[in-house]
């Protein structure tokens, strides 16, 4: 029961911080570094707590860190190749990835990809009809994909 409470609290704080990042991204098209750091601190705190409570196997934790480092490298290469993706978008993806392991990552990224493709399709239709510029704020889609991922598991 304690494990459930710890995991639930971690998710609630993560979603609250992602909500703040989404609001800021929509208003200013920037994601504050303070929010990124708080999301990272939240994950580290709960990882240490779970390791201390022996909810994690240390060998799985090492695999988890290798997986995250490889994911981060791919994203930073994407940042340098693709000019439409901002540094804040890459950072929010990097810290959000910390909350998913193995197949969860694939499921989450698939949900995120579908949301972004649908949003881009709708924006293309709107641009064709109204000649507005095609720009997307990324953090709200990360938030929505995380919410859909968590709801999927209920």
């Amino acid at each position: 029961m304690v494990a459930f409470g710890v995991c639930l609290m971690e998710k609630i704080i993560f979603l609250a911080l992602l909500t703040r990042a989404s609001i800021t991204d929509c208003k200013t098209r920037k994601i504050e570094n303070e929010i990124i750091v708080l999301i990272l601190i939240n994950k580290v705190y709960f990882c240490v707590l779970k390791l201390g409570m022996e909810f994690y196997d240390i060998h799985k934790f090492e695999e988890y860190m290798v997986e995250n480092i490889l994911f981060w490298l791919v994203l930073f290469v994407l940042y340098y190749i693709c000019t439409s993706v901002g540094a804040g978008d890459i950072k929010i993806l990097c810290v959000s990835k910390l909350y998913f392991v193995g197949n969860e990552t694939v499921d989450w990224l698939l949900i995120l990809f579908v949301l972004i493709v649908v949003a881009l399709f709708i924006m293309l239709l709107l641009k064709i009809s109204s000649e507005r510029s095609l720009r997307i704020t990324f953090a709200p889609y990360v938030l929505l994909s995380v919410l859909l991922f968590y709801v999927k598991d209920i």
Side-chain angles (χ1 to χ4, degrees), residues 51 55-67 101:
L51 279 171
F55 294 147
Y56 277 160
D57 178 15
I58 195 68
H59 299 295
K60 287 185 180 179
F61 183 74
E62 291 169 354
E63 292 174 15
Y64 164 75
M65 288 312 298
V66 169
E67 179 184 311
V101 181

Side-chain angles (χ1 to χ4, degrees), residues 109-127:
L109 288 174
L110 185 61
I111 292 169
L112 179 62
F113 177 75
V114 169
L115 287 172
I116 290 173
V117 167
V118 168
L120 286 173
F121 180 72
I122 291 169
M123 290 175 77
L124 280 172
L125 290 177
L126 293 175
K127 182 180 180 192

